[in-house]
Amino acid sequence: MGNVLLINGPNLNRLGTREPKYYGAATLTDLENSLRQEAERLGVQLSFFQSNHEGEIIDKLHWAEDNGVEGIIINPGAFSHYSYAIRDAIAGIETPAIEVHISNIHAREDFRHVSVTAPVTAGQIVGLGLQGYELALQALTRIIKGRN
């Protein structure tokens, strides 16, 4: 039941070394391993994609809808704050998406307070660390179940 794609944007490949004050010590591999366990518990098929390139993220969003992905967890990173192209790609697909941010973007620099992508998602989870991804996976599972 359920086919979910996790898309991580720019600099998230640096988890564990990049600004641990905000993002913690866990790596992207640690996050993916933890989420695999949660996906298995929920009976969800979960795949992963990370890119530092806006166009690749847009292509993956289109690919997800065209290939039967039923839900998307997306951390667009800094693209959240200015990428109208990613915003339009999310708006242009029917696949529900939940935006996740590890840090509390509303408690950081002013430019991070606004997400242009959040208004076209099913929801946004911020500031709960890596647990935000797990909560997004649980929420998407419920959304998918409600659609089927």
Side-chain angles (χ1 to χ4, degrees), residues 16-26 102-104 107-109 127 129:
T17 59
R18 176 185 173 229
E19 297 181 276
K21 167 183 163 184
Y22 293 115
Y23 304 110
I102 297 167
S103 68
N104 182 351
R108 294 189 59 193
E109 303 92 339

Side-chain angles (χ1 to χ4, degrees), residues 32-42:
E32 291 175 355
N33 288 338
S34 174
L35 288 175
R36 274 188 191 93
Q37 292 176 8
E38 182 64 8
E40 186 175 317
R41 186 186 74 75
L42 294 168

Side-chain angles (χ1 to χ4, degrees), residues 94-113:
E94 296 295 320
T95 309
I98 295 180
E99 182 174 311
V100 173
H101 293 282
I102 297 167
S103 68
N104 182 351
I105 61 174
H106 306 291
R108 294 189 59 193
E109 303 92 339
D110 287 346
F111 77 89
R112 295 185 196 276
H113 295 182

Side-chain angles (χ1 to χ4, degrees), residues 4 35 38-39 42 44 46 73 133-141:
V4 175
L35 288 175
E38 182 64 8
L42 294 168
V44 174
L46 180 61
I73 301 167
Y133 289 94
E134 184 177 313
L135 295 170
L137 183 59
Q138 293 167 3
L140 271 177
T141 301

Side-chain angles (χ1 to χ4, degrees), residues 49-100:
F49 178 76
Q50 188 280 324
S51 178
N52 295 317
H53 305 282
E54 184 178 31
E56 289 181 359
I57 293 170
I58 292 165
D59 289 344
K60 197 64 168 184
L61 287 162
H62 297 165
W63 175 91
E65 180 164 80
D66 294 345
N67 287 277
V69 171
E70 296 175 88
I72 297 168
I73 301 167
I74 184 166
N75 182 341
F79 289 138
S80 305
H81 313 297
Y82 66 89
S83 179
Y84 292 99
I86 290 176
R87 181 237 177 260
D88 288 349
I90 295 168
I93 61 175
E94 296 295 320
T95 309
I98 295 180
E99 182 174 311
V100 173

